Amino acid sequence: MRRILFLKVTLPSADPAYVRSVVQATAPFYGLLGGTSTRLLRNVDDPAQFIQEIAYETPEAMEMSRQRIAGDLRIQSFLQAWRQVLGGAVQLDVYEDLTAEW
């Protein structure tokens, strides 16, 4: 069953060039985590608020990703820098994709 990770953030700027630079800076990070796909969604009512969606094909793939984060200093350093760029709190939620069962 697919697992979907949602990172909800409010960026200091809704400027498309700024948002693009943040997304491009995070691209190598997602490659290290092993997610199968990512999407960036912007709130139409609050253009500075975004949700980054990362999909994993199995719960085990997500768990392997969590272990990589815990054991890789490069990823931990990247996460610290990423949090500074975001300038705010990050809300993290994990969901199961039930549509695969239909």
Side-chain angles (χ1 to χ4, degrees):
M1 185 174 299
R2 288 182 71 184
R3 294 284 168 100
I4 312 295
L5 173 68
F6 291 95
L7 299 165
K8 184 177 180 181
V9 298
T10 300
L11 296 176
S13 171
D15 174 43
Y18 176 78
V19 173
R20 195 173 309 116
S21 71
V22 170
V23 171
Q24 288 173 342
T26 61
F29 171 70
Y30 294 115
L32 293 171
L33 293 182
T36 59
S37 66
T38 63
R39 291 192 318 167
L40 181 68
L41 308 170
R42 180 167 60 177
N43 185 328
V44 295
D45 295 322
D46 183 355
Q49 190 176 72
F50 296 85
I51 294 177
Q52 178 78 43
E53 176 189 286
I54 307 165
Y56 295 88
E57 289 303 317
T58 63
E60 294 81 15
M62 177 169 266
E63 183 56 34
M64 285 178 55
S65 176
R66 288 179 178 177
Q67 290 175 14
R68 282 188 198 127
I69 291 169
D72 191 324
L73 293 177
R74 294 175 303 158
I75 295 175
Q76 292 174 16
S77 295
F78 182 83
L79 284 173
Q80 285 179 330
W82 186 67
R83 287 182 184 117
Q84 289 176 343
V85 167
L86 295 176
V90 176
Q91 179 181 330
L92 180 91
D93 295 309
V94 177
Y95 289 84
E96 293 178 336
D97 183 358
L98 298 179
T99 58
E101 306 241 334
W102 296 352

